[in-house]
Amino acid sequence: MNVVLYGLGSGVEQVKRALRDEHRVIAYTDSFSCIKDYMEAPFVRPSDIKKLGYDFIVITIRDRKSAYSIYEWLVREQGFEKEKVIPYFCYVNMELYKVKLL
């Protein structure tokens, strides 16, 4: 599965380690950075994610409120399918009612 990781903070490394071998990080993104690539993968703007052949967007932000705010923005305002957007640390910490881990 092709995965886009959203967020370049301290949670990105933990999420990368948790991914299964069959998952491939095809890009990184976040709202504030303007770089070309990150950790040997392309960096894209959130608005460009839909151009990629992605299966999931995994939000790597540790702060529950911020992660869920980004989740809501991606789903409601950017039109991403809610089933394809995973606020990783919210699920890991059992802070949402549906548990859906990679």
Side-chain angles (χ1 to χ4, degrees), residues 4-38:
V4 175
L5 297 183
Y6 190 113
L8 303 182
S10 63
V12 72
E13 282 299 322
Q14 184 176 345
V15 171
K16 280 185 66 176
R17 284 191 303 272
L19 293 173
R20 295 179 183 163
D21 290 338
E22 64 266 20
H23 295 133
R24 187 171 68 108
V25 177
I26 60 167
Y28 293 87
T29 189
D30 76 18
S31 301
F32 301 106
S33 295
C34 260
I35 55 179
K36 284 185 154 183
D37 55 8
Y38 185 78

PDB file of all heavy atoms in Angstrom, residues 4-38:
ATOM      1  N   VAL A   4       1.018   8.269   2.383  1.00  0.00           N
ATOM      2  CA  VAL A   4       1.532   9.630   2.494  1.00  0.00           C
ATOM      3  C   VAL A   4       1.537   9.964   3.977  1.00  0.00           C
ATOM      4  O   VAL A   4       0.533   9.779   4.666  1.00  0.00           O
ATOM      5  CB  VAL A   4       0.643  10.638   1.730  1.00  0.00           C
ATOM      6  CG1 VAL A   4       1.123  12.060   1.970  1.00  0.00           C
ATOM      7  CG2 VAL A   4       0.619  10.320   0.242  1.00  0.00           C
ATOM      8  N   LEU A   5       2.664  10.425   4.494  1.00  0.00           N
ATOM      9  CA  LEU A   5       2.752  10.807   5.901  1.00  0.00           C
ATOM     10  C   LEU A   5       2.591  12.311   6.021  1.00  0.00           C
ATOM     11  O   LEU A   5       3.300  13.076   5.374  1.00  0.00           O
ATOM     12  CB  LEU A   5       4.091  10.364   6.496  1.00  0.00           C
ATOM     13  CG  LEU A   5       4.329   8.849   6.518  1.00  0.00           C
ATOM     14  CD1 LEU A   5       5.657   8.535   7.197  1.00  0.00           C
ATOM     15  CD2 LEU A   5       3.196   8.119   7.195  1.00  0.00           C
ATOM     16  N   TYR A   6       1.645  12.719   6.854  1.00  0.00           N
ATOM     17  CA  TYR A   6       1.333  14.134   7.060  1.00  0.00           C
ATOM     18  C   TYR A   6       1.924  14.579   8.393  1.00  0.00           C
ATOM     19  O   TYR A   6       1.503  14.123   9.449  1.00  0.00           O
ATOM     20  CB  TYR A   6      -0.182  14.336   7.084  1.00  0.00           C
ATOM     21  CG  TYR A   6      -0.607  15.784   7.042  1.00  0.00           C
ATOM     22  CD1 TYR A   6      -1.260  16.294   5.949  1.00  0.00           C
ATOM     23  CD2 TYR A   6      -0.350  16.642   8.114  1.00  0.00           C
ATOM     24  CE1 TYR A   6      -1.659  17.618   5.903  1.00  0.00           C
ATOM     25  CE2 TYR A   6      -0.730  17.962   8.074  1.00  0.00           C
ATOM     26  CZ  TYR A   6      -1.385  18.439   6.966  1.00  0.00           C
ATOM     27  OH  TYR A   6      -1.767  19.752   6.919  1.00  0.00           O
ATOM     28  N   GLY A   7       2.894  15.456   8.323  1.00  0.00           N
ATOM     29  CA  GLY A   7       3.533  15.984   9.532  1.00  0.00           C
ATOM     30  C   GLY A   7       4.995  15.591   9.573  1.00  0.00           C
ATOM     31  O   GLY A   7       5.345  14.442   9.320  1.00  0.00           O
ATOM     32  N   LEU A   8       5.849  16.542   9.881  1.00  0.00           N
ATOM     33  CA  LEU A   8       7.283  16.289   9.916  1.00  0.00           C
ATOM     34  C   LEU A   8       7.844  16.385  11.324  1.00  0.00           C
ATOM     35  O   LEU A   8       9.047  16.464  11.503  1.00  0.00           O
ATOM     36  CB  LEU A   8       8.009  17.280   9.000  1.00  0.00           C
ATOM     37  CG  LEU A   8       7.574  17.302   7.538  1.00  0.00           C
ATOM     38  CD1 LEU A   8       8.413  18.303   6.762  1.00  0.00           C
ATOM     39  CD2 LEU A   8       7.652  15.929   6.918  1.00  0.00           C
ATOM     40  N   GLY A   9       6.987  16.340  12.316  1.00  0.00           N
ATOM     41  CA  GLY A   9       7.428  16.470  13.702  1.00  0.00           C
ATOM     42  C   GLY A   9       7.976  15.173  14.277  1.00  0.00           C
ATOM     43  O   GLY A   9       8.337  14.244  13.560  1.00  0.00           O
ATOM     44  N   SER A  10       7.980  15.099  15.582  1.00  0.00           N
ATOM     45  CA  SER A  10       8.602  13.980  16.288  1.00  0.00           C
ATOM     46  C   SER A  10       7.882  12.649  16.081  1.00  0.00           C
ATOM     47  O   SER A  10       8.462  11.596  16.294  1.00  0.00           O
ATOM     48  CB  SER A  10       8.676  14.290  17.786  1.00  0.00           C
ATOM     49  OG  SER A  10       7.369  14.431  18.320  1.00  0.00           O
ATOM     50  N   GLY A  11       6.653  12.658  15.643  1.00  0.00           N
ATOM     51  CA  GLY A  11       5.904  11.416  15.481  1.00  0.00           C
ATOM     52  C   GLY A  11       6.183  10.666  14.195  1.00  0.00           C
ATOM     53  O   GLY A  11       5.883   9.474  14.088  1.00  0.00           O
ATOM     54  N   VAL A  12       6.781  11.315  13.218  1.00  0.00           N
ATOM     55  CA  VAL A  12       6.960  10.689  11.910  1.00  0.00           C
ATOM     56  C   VAL A  12       7.845   9.445  11.982  1.00  0.00           C
ATOM     57  O   VAL A  12       7.568   8.439  11.336  1.00  0.00           O
ATOM     58  CB  VAL A  12       7.458  11.708  10.856  1.00  0.00           C
ATOM     59  CG1 VAL A  12       8.895  12.103  11.081  1.00  0.00           C
ATOM     60  CG2 VAL A  12       7.250  11.173   9.459  1.00  0.00           C
ATOM     61  N   GLU A  13       8.886   9.466  12.775  1.00  0.00           N
ATOM     62  CA  GLU A  13       9.777   8.303  12.887  1.00  0.00           C
ATOM     63  C   GLU A  13       9.060   7.113  13.527  1.00  0.00           C
ATOM     64  O   GLU A  13       9.226   5.983  13.088  1.00  0.00           O
ATOM     65  CB  GLU A  13      11.033   8.657  13.681  1.00  0.00           C
ATOM     66  CG  GLU A  13      12.040   9.435  12.886  1.00  0.00           C
ATOM     67  CD  GLU A  13      12.559   8.670  11.671  1.00  0.00           C
ATOM     68  OE1 GLU A  13      12.765   7.441  11.745  1.00  0.00           O
ATOM     69  OE2 GLU A  13      12.756   9.314  10.629  1.00  0.00           O
ATOM     70  N   GLN A  14       8.274   7.357  14.554  1.00  0.00           N
ATOM     71  CA  GLN A  14       7.535   6.277  15.199  1.00  0.00           C
ATOM     72  C   GLN A  14       6.527   5.655  14.233  1.00  0.00           C
ATOM     73  O   GLN A  14       6.375   4.446  14.180  1.00  0.00           O
ATOM     74  CB  GLN A  14       6.823   6.767  16.458  1.00  0.00           C
ATOM     75  CG  GLN A  14       6.119   5.647  17.199  1.00  0.00           C
ATOM     76  CD  GLN A  14       5.486   6.115  18.491  1.00  0.00           C
ATOM     77  OE1 GLN A  14       5.783   7.203  18.999  1.00  0.00           O
ATOM     78  NE2 GLN A  14       4.615   5.299  19.041  1.00  0.00           N
ATOM     79  N   VAL A  15       5.853   6.475  13.478  1.00  0.00           N
ATOM     80  CA  VAL A  15       4.887   5.967  12.500  1.00  0.00           C
ATOM     81  C   VAL A  15       5.607   5.145  11.435  1.00  0.00           C
ATOM     82  O   VAL A  15       5.154   4.058  11.068  1.00  0.00           O
ATOM     83  CB  VAL A  15       4.074   7.112  11.870  1.00  0.00           C
ATOM     84  CG1 VAL A  15       3.232   6.621  10.713  1.00  0.00           C
ATOM     85  CG2 VAL A  15       3.198   7.779  12.923  1.00  0.00           C
ATOM     86  N   LYS A  16       6.738   5.629  10.942  1.00  0.00           N
ATOM     87  CA  LYS A  16       7.492   4.883   9.938  1.00  0.00           C
ATOM     88  C   LYS A  16       7.887   3.510  10.456  1.00  0.00           C
ATOM     89  O   LYS A  16       7.801   2.518   9.728  1.00  0.00           O
ATOM     90  CB  LYS A  16       8.736   5.666   9.516  1.00  0.00           C
ATOM     91  CG  LYS A  16       8.446   6.762   8.510  1.00  0.00           C
ATOM     92  CD  LYS A  16       9.707   7.420   8.049  1.00  0.00           C
ATOM     93  CE  LYS A  16      10.536   6.424   7.283  1.00  0.00           C
ATOM     94  NZ  LYS A  16      11.747   6.984   6.698  1.00  0.00           N
ATOM     95  N   ARG A  17       8.310   3.422  11.706  1.00  0.00           N
ATOM     96  CA  ARG A  17       8.684   2.127  12.282  1.00  0.00           C
ATOM     97  C   ARG A  17       7.484   1.201  12.430  1.00  0.00           C
ATOM     98  O   ARG A  17       7.628  -0.018  12.381  1.00  0.00           O
ATOM     99  CB  ARG A  17       9.357   2.326  13.637  1.00  0.00           C
ATOM    100  CG  ARG A  17      10.785   2.826  13.544  1.00  0.00           C
ATOM    101  CD  ARG A  17      11.498   2.754  14.875  1.00  0.00           C
ATOM    102  NE  ARG A  17      10.829   3.496  15.932  1.00  0.00           N
ATOM    103  CZ  ARG A  17      11.016   4.776  16.219  1.00  0.00           C
ATOM    104  NH1 ARG A  17      11.862   5.488  15.490  1.00  0.00           N
ATOM    105  NH2 ARG A  17      10.369   5.358  17.198  1.00  0.00           N
ATOM    106  N   ALA A  18       6.300   1.749  12.607  1.00  0.00           N
ATOM    107  CA  ALA A  18       5.096   0.946  12.812  1.00  0.00           C
ATOM    108  C   ALA A  18       4.497   0.415  11.508  1.00  0.00           C
ATOM    109  O   ALA A  18       3.702  -0.521  11.536  1.00  0.00           O
ATOM    110  CB  ALA A  18       4.045   1.765  13.561  1.00  0.00           C
ATOM    111  N   LEU A  19       4.885   0.993  10.392  1.00  0.00           N
ATOM    112  CA  LEU A  19       4.348   0.540   9.111  1.00  0.00           C
ATOM    113  C   LEU A  19       4.829  -0.876   8.797  1.00  0.00           C
ATOM    114  O   LEU A  19       5.948  -1.251   9.125  1.00  0.00           O
ATOM    115  CB  LEU A  19       4.772   1.481   7.980  1.00  0.00           C
ATOM    116  CG  LEU A  19       4.194   2.890   8.021  1.00  0.00           C
ATOM    117  CD1 LEU A  19       4.838   3.747   6.928  1.00  0.00           C
ATOM    118  CD2 LEU A  19       2.692   2.868   7.873  1.00  0.00           C
ATOM    119  N   ARG A  20       3.982  -1.637   8.156  1.00  0.00           N
ATOM    120  CA  ARG A  20       4.348  -2.987   7.741  1.00  0.00           C
ATOM    121  C   ARG A  20       5.292  -2.924   6.542  1.00  0.00           C
ATOM    122  O   ARG A  20       5.364  -1.915   5.839  1.00  0.00           O
ATOM    123  CB  ARG A  20       3.096  -3.765   7.367  1.00  0.00           C
ATOM    124  CG  ARG A  20       2.184  -3.978   8.537  1.00  0.00           C
ATOM    125  CD  ARG A  20       0.961  -4.737   8.108  1.00  0.00           C
ATOM    126  NE  ARG A  20       0.044  -4.871   9.225  1.00  0.00           N
ATOM    127  CZ  ARG A  20      -1.220  -5.197   9.094  1.00  0.00           C
ATOM    128  NH1 ARG A  20      -1.731  -5.424   7.898  1.00  0.00           N
ATOM    129  NH2 ARG A  20      -1.990  -5.312  10.144  1.00  0.00           N
ATOM    130  N   ASP A  21       5.968  -4.022   6.303  1.00  0.00           N
ATOM    131  CA  ASP A  21       6.921  -4.080   5.189  1.00  0.00           C
ATOM    132  C   ASP A  21       6.274  -3.806   3.839  1.00  0.00           C
ATOM    133  O   ASP A  21       6.907  -3.275   2.937  1.00  0.00           O
ATOM    134  CB  ASP A  21       7.619  -5.440   5.152  1.00  0.00           C
ATOM    135  CG  ASP A  21       8.577  -5.626   6.313  1.00  0.00           C
ATOM    136  OD1 ASP A  21       9.019  -4.611   6.896  1.00  0.00           O
ATOM    137  OD2 ASP A  21       8.884  -6.783   6.640  1.00  0.00           O
ATOM    138  N   GLU A  22       5.014  -4.203   3.681  1.00  0.00           N
ATOM    139  CA  GLU A  22       4.337  -4.007   2.395  1.00  0.00           C
ATOM    140  C   GLU A  22       3.867  -2.565   2.172  1.00  0.00           C
ATOM    141  O   GLU A  22       3.387  -2.225   1.094  1.00  0.00           O
ATOM    142  CB  GLU A  22       3.157  -4.978   2.224  1.00  0.00           C
ATOM    143  CG  GLU A  22       2.039  -4.786   3.218  1.00  0.00           C
ATOM    144  CD  GLU A  22       2.135  -5.666   4.456  1.00  0.00           C
ATOM    145  OE1 GLU A  22       3.230  -6.166   4.773  1.00  0.00           O
ATOM    146  OE2 GLU A  22       1.107  -5.828   5.121  1.00  0.00           O
ATOM    147  N   HIS A  23       4.003  -1.720   3.176  1.00  0.00           N
ATOM    148  CA  HIS A  23       3.641  -0.311   3.024  1.00  0.00           C
ATOM    149  C   HIS A  23       4.843   0.475   2.532  1.00  0.00           C
ATOM    150  O   HIS A  23       5.968   0.254   2.976  1.00  0.00           O
ATOM    151  CB  HIS A  23       3.148   0.274   4.341  1.00  0.00           C
ATOM    152  CG  HIS A  23       1.886  -0.364   4.800  1.00  0.00           C
ATOM    153  ND1 HIS A  23       1.703  -0.794   6.087  1.00  0.00           N
ATOM    154  CD2 HIS A  23       0.746  -0.666   4.151  1.00  0.00           C
ATOM    155  CE1 HIS A  23       0.503  -1.318   6.213  1.00  0.00           C
ATOM    156  NE2 HIS A  23      -0.095  -1.252   5.043  1.00  0.00           N
ATOM    157  N   ARG A  24       4.556   1.398   1.621  1.00  0.00           N
ATOM    158  CA  ARG A  24       5.615   2.218   1.042  1.00  0.00           C
ATOM    159  C   ARG A  24       5.250   3.683   1.211  1.00  0.00           C
ATOM    160  O   ARG A  24       4.161   4.104   0.810  1.00  0.00           O
ATOM    161  CB  ARG A  24       5.752   1.877  -0.434  1.00  0.00           C
ATOM    162  CG  ARG A  24       6.914   2.542  -1.111  1.00  0.00           C
ATOM    163  CD  ARG A  24       7.096   1.972  -2.501  1.00  0.00           C
ATOM    164  NE  ARG A  24       5.981   2.346  -3.353  1.00  0.00           N
ATOM    165  CZ  ARG A  24       6.071   3.237  -4.343  1.00  0.00           C
ATOM    166  NH1 ARG A  24       7.212   3.817  -4.607  1.00  0.00           N
ATOM    167  NH2 ARG A  24       5.023   3.538  -5.065  1.00  0.00           N
ATOM    168  N   VAL A  25       6.147   4.453   1.821  1.00  0.00           N
ATOM    169  CA  VAL A  25       5.937   5.896   1.947  1.00  0.00           C
ATOM    170  C   VAL A  25       6.262   6.519   0.598  1.00  0.00           C
ATOM    171  O   VAL A  25       7.407   6.487   0.152  1.00  0.00           O
ATOM    172  CB  VAL A  25       6.809   6.502   3.060  1.00  0.00           C
ATOM    173  CG1 VAL A  25       6.622   8.011   3.116  1.00  0.00           C
ATOM    174  CG2 VAL A  25       6.493   5.865   4.407  1.00  0.00           C
ATOM    175  N   ILE A  26       5.221   7.062  -0.049  1.00  0.00           N
ATOM    176  CA  ILE A  26       5.435   7.635  -1.381  1.00  0.00           C
ATOM    177  C   ILE A  26       5.644   9.145  -1.343  1.00  0.00           C
ATOM    178  O   ILE A  26       6.104   9.729  -2.322  1.00  0.00           O
ATOM    179  CB  ILE A  26       4.283   7.286  -2.343  1.00  0.00           C
ATOM    180  CG1 ILE A  26       2.950   7.820  -1.827  1.00  0.00           C
ATOM    181  CG2 ILE A  26       4.246   5.792  -2.591  1.00  0.00           C
ATOM    182  CD1 ILE A  26       1.829   7.801  -2.851  1.00  0.00           C
ATOM    183  N   ALA A  27       5.287   9.775  -0.197  1.00  0.00           N
ATOM    184  CA  ALA A  27       5.478  11.223  -0.082  1.00  0.00           C
ATOM    185  C   ALA A  27       5.257  11.654   1.365  1.00  0.00           C
ATOM    186  O   ALA A  27       4.651  10.931   2.160  1.00  0.00           O
ATOM    187  CB  ALA A  27       4.522  11.981  -0.990  1.00  0.00           C
ATOM    188  N   TYR A  28       5.743  12.837   1.645  1.00  0.00           N
ATOM    189  CA  TYR A  28       5.508  13.507   2.927  1.00  0.00           C
ATOM    190  C   TYR A  28       4.800  14.816   2.645  1.00  0.00           C
ATOM    191  O   TYR A  28       4.950  15.395   1.568  1.00  0.00           O
ATOM    192  CB  TYR A  28       6.832  13.808   3.634  1.00  0.00           C
ATOM    193  CG  TYR A  28       7.568  12.581   4.093  1.00  0.00           C
ATOM    194  CD1 TYR A  28       8.444  11.922   3.242  1.00  0.00           C
ATOM    195  CD2 TYR A  28       7.381  12.071   5.372  1.00  0.00           C
ATOM    196  CE1 TYR A  28       9.117  10.791   3.649  1.00  0.00           C
ATOM    197  CE2 TYR A  28       8.054  10.943   5.790  1.00  0.00           C
ATOM    198  CZ  TYR A  28       8.920  10.307   4.922  1.00  0.00           C
ATOM    199  OH  TYR A  28       9.585   9.186   5.339  1.00  0.00           O
ATOM    200  N   THR A  29       4.057  15.290   3.627  1.00  0.00           N
ATOM    201  CA  THR A  29       3.400  16.580   3.498  1.00  0.00           C
ATOM    202  C   THR A  29       3.169  17.173   4.880  1.00  0.00           C
ATOM    203  O   THR A  29       3.200  16.465   5.891  1.00  0.00           O
ATOM    204  CB  THR A  29       2.054  16.449   2.739  1.00  0.00           C
ATOM    205  OG1 THR A  29       1.558  17.761   2.458  1.00  0.00           O
ATOM    206  CG2 THR A  29       1.024  15.695   3.540  1.00  0.00           C
ATOM    207  N   ASP A  30       2.960  18.448   4.929  1.00  0.00           N
ATOM    208  CA  ASP A  30       2.390  19.141   6.087  1.00  0.00           C
ATOM    209  C   ASP A  30       1.980  20.531   5.652  1.00  0.00           C
ATOM    210  O   ASP A  30       2.171  20.902   4.498  1.00  0.00           O
ATOM    211  CB  ASP A  30       3.303  19.123   7.321  1.00  0.00           C
ATOM    212  CG  ASP A  30       4.472  20.086   7.271  1.00  0.00           C
ATOM    213  OD1 ASP A  30       4.487  21.046   6.471  1.00  0.00           O
ATOM    214  OD2 ASP A  30       5.393  19.893   8.043  1.00  0.00           O
ATOM    215  N   SER A  31       1.414  21.259   6.556  1.00  0.00           N
ATOM    216  CA  SER A  31       0.835  22.555   6.194  1.00  0.00           C
ATOM    217  C   SER A  31       1.840  23.690   6.135  1.00  0.00           C
ATOM    218  O   SER A  31       1.553  24.728   5.562  1.00  0.00           O
ATOM    219  CB  SER A  31      -0.259  22.920   7.195  1.00  0.00           C
ATOM    220  OG  SER A  31      -1.249  21.938   7.189  1.00  0.00           O
ATOM    221  N   PHE A  32       3.011  23.529   6.730  1.00  0.00           N
ATOM    222  CA  PHE A  32       3.888  24.668   6.917  1.00  0.00           C
ATOM    223  C   PHE A  32       5.213  24.612   6.175  1.00  0.00           C
ATOM    224  O   PHE A  32       5.829  25.632   5.964  1.00  0.00           O
ATOM    225  CB  PHE A  32       4.166  24.870   8.410  1.00  0.00           C
ATOM    226  CG  PHE A  32       2.905  25.093   9.198  1.00  0.00           C
ATOM    227  CD1 PHE A  32       2.404  24.092  10.007  1.00  0.00           C
ATOM    228  CD2 PHE A  32       2.197  26.272   9.098  1.00  0.00           C
ATOM    229  CE1 PHE A  32       1.225  24.283  10.719  1.00  0.00           C
ATOM    230  CE2 PHE A  32       1.026  26.475   9.802  1.00  0.00           C
ATOM    231  CZ  PHE A  32       0.540  25.473  10.608  1.00  0.00           C
ATOM    232  N   SER A  33       5.670  23.440   5.807  1.00  0.00           N
ATOM    233  CA  SER A  33       6.983  23.325   5.181  1.00  0.00           C
ATOM    234  C   SER A  33       6.914  23.558   3.678  1.00  0.00           C
ATOM    235  O   SER A  33       5.916  23.259   3.046  1.00  0.00           O
ATOM    236  CB  SER A  33       7.579  21.947   5.450  1.00  0.00           C
ATOM    237  OG  SER A  33       7.820  21.787   6.820  1.00  0.00           O
ATOM    238  N   CYS A  34       7.985  24.060   3.145  1.00  0.00           N
ATOM    239  CA  CYS A  34       8.114  24.264   1.696  1.00  0.00           C
ATOM    240  C   CYS A  34       9.472  23.713   1.280  1.00  0.00           C
ATOM    241  O   CYS A  34      10.429  24.446   1.113  1.00  0.00           O
ATOM    242  CB  CYS A  34       8.037  25.747   1.367  1.00  0.00           C
ATOM    243  SG  CYS A  34       6.440  26.258   0.795  1.00  0.00           S
ATOM    244  N   ILE A  35       9.543  22.390   1.134  1.00  0.00           N
ATOM    245  CA  ILE A  35      10.778  21.735   0.748  1.00  0.00           C
ATOM    246  C   ILE A  35      10.494  20.823  -0.444  1.00  0.00           C
ATOM    247  O   ILE A  35       9.344  20.553  -0.762  1.00  0.00           O
ATOM    248  CB  ILE A  35      11.382  20.942   1.926  1.00  0.00           C
ATOM    249  CG1 ILE A  35      10.354  19.942   2.480  1.00  0.00           C
ATOM    250  CG2 ILE A  35      11.865  21.879   3.018  1.00  0.00           C
ATOM    251  CD1 ILE A  35      10.858  19.086   3.625  1.00  0.00           C
ATOM    252  N   LYS A  36      11.544  20.327  -1.086  1.00  0.00           N
ATOM    253  CA  LYS A  36      11.363  19.466  -2.260  1.00  0.00           C
ATOM    254  C   LYS A  36      11.202  18.001  -1.885  1.00  0.00           C
ATOM    255  O   LYS A  36      10.418  17.281  -2.479  1.00  0.00           O
ATOM    256  CB  LYS A  36      12.543  19.613  -3.202  1.00  0.00           C
ATOM    257  CG  LYS A  36      12.544  20.865  -4.010  1.00  0.00           C
ATOM    258  CD  LYS A  36      13.700  20.815  -4.968  1.00  0.00           C
ATOM    259  CE  LYS A  36      13.398  21.657  -6.175  1.00  0.00           C
ATOM    260  NZ  LYS A  36      14.455  21.595  -7.170  1.00  0.00           N
ATOM    261  N   ASP A  37      12.028  17.543  -0.940  1.00  0.00           N
ATOM    262  CA  ASP A  37      11.938  16.152  -0.525  1.00  0.00           C
ATOM    263  C   ASP A  37      12.288  16.030   0.947  1.00  0.00           C
ATOM    264  O   ASP A  37      12.799  16.958   1.569  1.00  0.00           O
ATOM    265  CB  ASP A  37      12.825  15.247  -1.374  1.00  0.00           C
ATOM    266  CG  ASP A  37      14.283  15.692  -1.386  1.00  0.00           C
ATOM    267  OD1 ASP A  37      14.649  16.602  -0.632  1.00  0.00           O
ATOM    268  OD2 ASP A  37      15.054  15.117  -2.166  1.00  0.00           O
ATOM    269  N   TYR A  38      11.976  14.853   1.483  1.00  0.00           N
ATOM    270  CA  TYR A  38      12.190  14.595   2.906  1.00  0.00           C
ATOM    271  C   TYR A  38      12.414  13.098   3.062  1.00  0.00           C
ATOM    272  O   TYR A  38      11.625  12.296   2.548  1.00  0.00           O
ATOM    273  CB  TYR A  38      10.970  15.057   3.707  1.00  0.00           C
ATOM    274  CG  TYR A  38      11.130  14.941   5.197  1.00  0.00           C
ATOM    275  CD1 TYR A  38      11.865  15.880   5.908  1.00  0.00           C
ATOM    276  CD2 TYR A  38      10.534  13.901   5.897  1.00  0.00           C
ATOM    277  CE1 TYR A  38      12.007  15.785   7.281  1.00  0.00           C
ATOM    278  CE2 TYR A  38      10.675  13.808   7.272  1.00  0.00           C
ATOM    279  CZ  TYR A  38      11.407  14.745   7.959  1.00  0.00           C
ATOM    280  OH  TYR A  38      11.556  14.639   9.312  1.00  0.00           O
TER     281      TYR A  38
END
